Amino acid sequence: MEGPPMVCYSMGSINSLVEKITPLMENHPKTKKLLQDLKSLRVEMNKFAGGRATGEQVKVWMKQVREMVYDIEDWIYLKKDFSESDMEEIEDFRDEIQEARSRCLRYELLKQAPTSDAEIVYSTGPRGRRLFLEERTVFVGRDHPKSELLGHLKDEQKDLKVVSIHGRGGHGKTALAKEIYGDIYIKGQFEYKAFVSVGRNSSMKTTLIEILRQVKSSEVDASQTWSSNDEQINEIINELWGFLHTKRYFICIDDIRTANDSEVILCALPDNDLRSRILTTTRMKDIAILFSRRPNDVVYEMMALNKTDSKSLFRNCLYVQEEEWTDHFKELSKEILEVCGGLPLAIIVTAGFLWRTSAELPLQSEKLKKAIPSEFDEFYSESQAMRKILDVSYADLPQPLKSCFLYLTAFSGNYDIKKDRLVRRWVAEGLIPERHGNSSWETGESYFDELISRRLIQPAFDGNDDQPIGCTVHGVVFDFLESMSSKENFITPGAELKSELFPCERVRRVSLDCGDEDEGDTLISNTLSFRAEEFGGLKL
């Protein structure tokens, strides 16, 4: 039996608040009425917490109630004792709760309460191990592009050559780049190598430092630390250029999103005559062209998978053998693949949504049919289709798992997230519910496995075991999560606070890029998140 989590994305901290107020009743009788009001409010919130997306009125009401509950919790958290004036404050809180419940009744919001169809299934035992082994082999329809690009990178041309891959998000650019990098890494054709991701939030200084650390991994001064002074970027560029100037190198830079970033990269990496190579990926053709400044540079466009490869990828990602497919599902799968449009990420996430066993496949496929077939003809772009598939997959998650999934935005989207670190953070934030017979840690691990099973995160391995030590989040999925987190005011990126455009809402959680190593991580970019109440309530 699973209890409710202390904190969740949809209901905020109301369960935590009820727990905190309960022991206060003995010495402060007025808190008893506040507790009763909160419990009544929680019943109404629970009716909207699970299931699929509801109307805008309900979303606004839920958000207002969450913010009110957070305010009450912040006030309780800071109180050491209660005076008579505090009792007046409690009455004011009760009035706010009653007003919120009245709005719910007045606008007949309960009539919009969804029916939750999400029931959690946990990945355990041998099936989980089989899953992680299969995750390493999902690479379909890219052998020809890989062979062609490797040919460009391995030719005998002495001048620096830049190979730029461009295509829409979810086309498999990063997967292809990693395959190419892995092939070159294993064969040891370049002594100095680095693979870094830029993405939307990383600073170019952080990216350059990571390249420097990777190429100088065997050097005595590779452990040099850098301050957070942005003026140091020229110094870093000079050091990186000077170090690589006389060396044959291979640098792979993934997910470049701005022209400025491309200019900085080109300044930092020397054009020598030692057959050095740069491989880049980007969603924008213009940026790929910016890198193509020499006659022999290559701009390569990623194309969608053809129907044969799309079906092969779908079949490989689905945890049900094709022989077990019903005739009805075989026909439905054709429509599903039509919606995916040959986009590998869309196919993989859709297969993860269907997942599980042959017995459950009809139920999941019917959910999908109800959610998107009526909109098949309304998709005008791959990005719209991808967004809809992610919406459906997210809506299908059980309530606690939604919160854990959204919490991934507390980390940088460009690097591996350590599993142990992630689960500890889930537990500390109160996102993991109590489950009879299981510790919070065991439940957190099952949630981690569940997200991998649903293909919403990608497992990361260290080469010593078949079980993942962490995960990565695809750039498209991370963008989706940031969008959802922003709408729910769940986590605020520190970069947003540094900009002049301050959030219009009160900040509840902040994720800060610390820019140094933490907990033994070798990653340059680590994040710290904290609840605003820990600082007496952070208000903007």
Side-chain angles (χ1 to χ4, degrees), residues 43 255 313:
V43 170
D255 200 12
L313 179 61

Side-chain angles (χ1 to χ4, degrees), residues 67-314:
E67 294 300 312
M68 176 186 68
V69 169
Y70 275 128
D71 286 341
I72 298 173
E73 186 186 32
D74 289 347
W75 186 81
I76 293 289
Y77 180 85
L78 296 172
K79 282 296 169 186
K80 305 300 181 184
D81 200 0
F82 291 90
S83 64
E84 188 60 35
S85 62
D86 292 328
M87 296 302 108
E88 295 177 5
E89 186 77 20
I90 288 176
E91 287 300 319
D92 289 341
F93 286 141
R94 293 190 63 209
D95 289 342
E96 289 184 42
I97 293 170
Q98 291 304 323
E99 172 57 27
R101 297 186 65 198
S102 296
R103 288 200 305 274
C104 181
L105 182 64
R106 185 163 62 249
Y107 294 109
E108 300 182 325
L109 299 185
L110 291 178
K111 291 183 179 180
Q112 301 179 43
T115 301
S116 178
D117 52 11
E119 294 184 9
I120 194 163
V121 177
Y122 302 96
S123 303
T124 56
R127 180 186 165 282
R129 179 168 292 273
R130 171 181 169 234
L131 160 68
F132 300 140
L133 283 170
E134 288 177 343
E135 286 285 353
R136 297 174 184 250
T137 61
V138 179
F139 190 74
V140 175
R142 298 308 189 201
D143 290 336
H144 176 70
K146 177 183 176 182
S147 176
E148 181 179 343
L149 294 176
L150 278 172
H152 289 298
L153 294 167
K154 293 180 179 180
D155 66 17
E156 297 299 318
Q157 175 186 321
K158 288 187 177 182
D159 295 339
L160 173 68
K161 177 182 281 190
V162 180
V163 176
S164 302
I165 307 172
H166 72 90
R168 292 181 180 274
H171 259 152
K173 302 182 298 298
T174 299
L176 178 58
K178 285 182 176 180
E179 282 284 321
I180 292 171
Y181 184 81
D183 185 271
I184 289 175
Y185 187 92
I186 291 172
K187 294 181 180 179
Q189 295 164 305
F190 294 83
E191 185 178 356
Y192 298 92
K193 303 171 290 292
F195 187 107
V196 295
S197 294
V198 180
R200 185 167 66 186
N201 295 326
S202 285
S203 69
M204 186 45 55
K205 181 176 74 100
T206 298
T207 301
L208 294 178
I209 292 174
E210 181 61 18
I211 294 174
L212 190 58
R213 290 192 176 186
Q214 288 189 37
V215 297
K216 297 182 71 173
S217 60
S218 60
E219 299 292 316
V220 176
D221 61 346
S223 60
Q224 178 180 355
T225 59
W226 299 87
S227 73
S228 58
N229 186 352
D230 285 337
E231 294 179 0
Q232 276 198 332
I233 191 167
N234 288 332
E235 184 181 341
I236 299 168
I237 289 173
N238 290 336
E239 179 168 350
L240 183 57
W241 192 95
F243 180 78
L244 293 175
H245 182 59
T246 58
K247 298 174 178 65
R248 186 181 181 218
Y249 62 84
F250 175 54
I251 309 295
C252 184
I253 306 171
D254 180 48
D255 200 12
I256 302 170
R257 301 199 183 188
T258 70
N260 182 64
D261 287 348
S262 64
E263 294 291 345
V264 173
I265 291 166
L266 289 171
C267 287
L269 301 178
D271 185 351
N272 54 31
D273 296 326
L274 300 173
R275 294 171 56 208
S276 295
R277 301 290 183 262
I278 300 172
L279 176 65
T280 70
T281 74
T282 178
R283 299 181 189 181
M284 288 152 280
K285 184 177 180 179
D286 289 348
I287 290 178
I289 292 173
L290 276 176
F291 279 100
S292 183
R293 299 185 174 185
R294 305 161 192 80
N296 292 320
D297 286 347
V298 177
V299 174
Y300 187 89
E301 181 179 5
M302 286 289 287
M303 306 302 294
L305 296 176
N306 59 37
K307 289 186 178 180
T308 301
D309 288 334
S310 293
K311 183 178 179 180
S312 178
L313 179 61
F314 183 67

